[in-house]
Amino acid sequence: MNKRTRWIMMGTGLLTAVILVVLLFLLKGKNSYRDSLPTHLQALARLDAGLVQEQIPDLFPESLPPNVSQCGIDFSQPLYAFVDDTDHLGVLFPLSSASQWEDYLQGMNIPIEKQRGYRWACHDHWLMVFSDDRCLMHGPLSEQEIVQIRGRMVELMKQRPDEEDLLLTHIEKSDAPLSTVFSLRFAKRLMTRLLPSSAPFWRNESEGCISMDVQAKDRMITADVAYHDVSAQSLLPFLGPIPADGLPQLGEQQMAAVTMGMNGEALLQTLRSYPSVRTALLALNFCLDLDQIIRSVDGPVTLFVPDADDVLSATSLVAQLRDTRFMQNSNDWEREFPAGWGIRMDAMGDSAFCVHMPEQEICFGVKDSRLIVASSKQAFHTACSPSAWNPYGAKVASDDCLVCVQLDIPSLLKHAAVLALFVEPGQGIMEFLSGYDTFVLRVKDYIQEEQ
């Protein structure tokens, strides 16, 4: 090989290496707006506006006002909301035009400043930073937090994480227009704060997360909740799968039906973990075989909420029983309550009783291997009628469903005062819900992630 050929080969090799380095630099340098999500998350939600437009066209009108349709946000890509490992709430969304977004903010009299190579704005205790292709927001923040979090936000705008956060990995597998995922630790903290009485259900310190996917099709809104990397039954051992023929369909006079697959023996052990409930069980067991009644529950348990003016007096519960041996001593029940309790029990007929308390009565009995409990005699007789049990086998049943909540939306809207406890009026939620007939929430069992 002569000298000229060697120089040509060396030059070619050098040129190839330079090209590879440039390509790697360009590929590495161009990061996605999604890279600005924190790498350690406690909760994450994703809204795919494109899928929402397909499934719920009335939610986003085709002809948005110019100040919204031309605000610079890229609605063709998902928008994210999150809670990071420092308990800060954040929002991340892509921009199709940073100049339009800046004009939109200034049109709302929100001042813009340039700092550290980015544009910044602060509005109503929310701090936002944006570049050419993304906007990151944190809030609500105190004045001191606004000063402290700027550096962290710059890091997020620049970061190129080597691997995705676990919650982001889960949520990107969903094809639902609205998806959320929570770490179990965060869910435990949130639920015990909102419902302190639920603390005994969260004793296991398990890793893993809970996801929820929301779909809206065929006049039905469906929310599917699933556990990941942990078994739901290891956390809530009294739950079991609901058979397809054990899930009722909503009747014409029913507003809601809440069904759970129940293991009575495990439920009794859970109830005994509450000191106050354990004491009440001990007292009641001197009067009737309540422990044995609970142990006998094996299968679907459904709470029926009627479409009635007085909902509480017409509510009933139906539970599948493994056996009815607890009825053997029922002839003595009505004579067992001490006079000082202010409670008496009367027999209403074959295998049916009514417990009278100072301000309430509860009726219960057994029929066709089902325990029926109701908050009034009328509700009890209604629940005992065959028409109240059929047809079973709702279309929303699934093999891995542990809990199913069915709501009749037109009936719910008639009780707007109740709905107002959960959503603020005037936000268009009533108009949105009026376009649907049913809301279904299903809690599914353990999902083993593919490695």
Side-chain angles (χ1 to χ4, degrees):
M1 183 182 296
N2 57 38
K3 187 175 182 180
R4 177 183 177 83
T5 303
R6 287 198 300 269
W7 277 106
I8 293 175
M9 293 179 64
M10 290 176 60
T12 302
L14 181 61
L15 180 61
T16 301
V18 171
I19 292 174
L20 289 174
V21 170
V22 172
L23 286 174
L24 289 173
F25 176 79
L26 292 175
L27 291 173
K28 186 70 173 177
K30 184 63 175 178
N31 65 325
S32 165
Y33 78 99
R34 200 181 64 177
D35 290 342
S36 291
L37 288 169
T39 53
H40 299 287
L41 294 167
Q42 298 187 79
L44 179 65
R46 184 195 66 189
L47 176 67
D48 192 320
L51 287 176
V52 171
Q53 180 62 37
E54 291 178 12
Q55 294 191 10
I56 319 174
D58 295 335
L59 189 61
F60 293 147
E62 294 183 3
S63 55
L64 291 171
N67 66 326
V68 176
S69 62
Q70 300 176 12
C71 69
I73 298 177
D74 184 0
F75 289 108
S76 67
Q77 301 187 72
L79 287 68
Y80 296 90
F82 59 86
V83 177
D84 64 18
D85 57 350
T86 61
D87 291 333
H88 282 111
L89 177 63
V91 177
L92 176 69
F93 52 87
L95 297 177
S96 57
S97 172
S99 59
Q100 287 185 343
W101 177 241
E102 184 171 356
D103 292 341
Y104 177 77
L105 295 176
Q106 291 177 337
M108 296 177 64
N109 297 319
I110 300 175
I112 308 294
E113 64 175 1
K114 294 184 178 180
Q115 188 181 42
R116 303 187 185 186
Y118 297 99
R119 281 159 282 188
W120 299 78
C122 189
H123 177 65
D124 197 20
H125 302 288
W126 281 82
L127 179 65
M128 71 179 73
V129 56
F130 61 98
S131 62
D132 291 338
D133 67 340
R134 72 196 69 181
C135 179
L136 177 65
M137 302 172 60
H138 270 293
L141 303 168
S142 65
E143 294 295 331
Q144 183 179 4
E145 288 175 321
I146 288 177
V147 175
Q148 295 174 345
I149 205 170
R150 283 179 178 264
R152 171 62 176 154
M153 294 178 72
V154 170
E155 292 177 1
L156 291 174
M157 293 291 285
K158 293 180 177 180
Q159 80 171 356
R160 293 170 177 81
D162 295 330
E163 59 183 37
E164 292 183 341
D165 179 85
L166 179 62
L167 301 192
L168 180 60
T169 301
H170 289 316
I171 212 169
E172 291 301 282
K173 296 177 182 178
S174 170
D175 58 359
L178 175 61
S179 302
T180 60
V181 61
F182 303 85
S183 72
L184 274 177
R185 293 180 183 275
F186 180 78
K188 172 185 176 181
R189 195 152 52 93
L190 184 65
M191 289 301 297
T192 51
R193 183 180 300 174
L194 297 175
L195 296 172
S197 60
S198 67
F201 295 109
W202 299 93
R203 287 181 175 177
N204 294 332
E205 293 292 338
S206 301
E207 298 295 336
C209 57
I210 305 174
S211 67
M212 181 173 70
D213 294 342
V214 181
Q215 305 266 6
K217 295 180 180 179
D218 302 325
R219 298 187 62 83
M220 178 186 295
I221 302 172
T222 305
D224 283 321
V225 178
Y227 287 77
H228 300 262
D229 301 319
V230 65
S231 170
Q233 291 172 300
S234 70
L235 301 173
L236 305 171
F238 54 85
L239 290 181
I242 303 170
D245 60 354
L247 190 63
Q249 297 190 37
L250 282 175
E252 292 183 359
Q253 302 301 319
Q254 292 174 348
M255 181 169 61
V258 181
T259 305
M260 306 174 69
M262 191 70 68
N263 180 310
E265 183 65 45
L267 175 62
L268 181 61
Q269 296 303 319
T270 302
L271 292 175
R272 285 174 172 172
S273 66
Y274 291 84
S276 58
V277 176
R278 183 171 61 249
T279 301
L281 287 174
L282 288 172
L284 289 172
N285 275 303
F286 284 106
C287 309
L288 67 158
D289 298 329
L290 190 56
D291 278 5
Q292 191 59 39
I293 293 174
I294 296 173
R295 282 194 179 98
S296 299
V297 175
D298 186 20
V301 177
T302 301
L303 176 69
F304 293 101
V305 181
D307 180 10
D309 293 334
D310 188 1
V311 172
L312 294 180
S313 66
T315 300
S316 61
L317 181 144
V318 178
Q320 184 68 45
L321 298 174
R322 180 179 60 252
D323 60 65
T324 60
R325 287 179 293 178
F326 60 86
M327 295 294 295
Q328 293 175 357
N329 298 322
S330 60
N331 292 331
D332 298 327
W333 288 354
E334 59 184 296
R335 299 191 296 270
E336 293 291 340
F337 285 93
W341 287 16
I343 300 174
R344 64 182 178 85
M345 184 163 63
D346 301 328
M348 295 196 305
D350 185 28
S351 303
F353 301 86
C354 182
V355 179
H356 302 272
M357 296 176 286
E359 298 181 0
Q360 178 66 45
E361 65 178 17
I362 297 177
C363 301
F364 71 97
V366 173
K367 184 174 182 179
D368 296 343
S369 298
R370 285 185 169 106
L371 174 67
I372 302 172
V373 183
S375 52
S376 68
K377 290 182 179 180
Q378 181 179 354
F380 178 80
H381 291 305
T382 300
C384 287
S385 63
S387 61
W389 297 359
N390 296 308
Y392 268 65
K395 295 179 181 179
V396 297
S398 59
D399 294 337
D400 55 357
C401 186
L402 303 175
V403 179
C404 183
V405 179
Q406 302 176 74
L407 299 177
D408 182 77
I409 294 177
S411 298
L412 188 66
L413 291 177
K414 289 194 298 183
H415 299 269
V418 177
L419 191 62
L421 296 175
F422 304 96
V423 296
E424 294 183 16
Q427 294 182 332
I429 187 66
M430 302 297 184
E431 292 77 7
F432 166 67
L433 290 176
S434 63
Y436 295 87
D437 297 327
T438 312
F439 172 82
V440 176
L441 183 146
R442 298 177 294 200
V443 178
K444 298 186 176 183
D445 202 356
Y446 172 52
I447 293 181
Q448 177 66 51
E449 300 297 334
E450 295 181 0
Q451 299 298 325

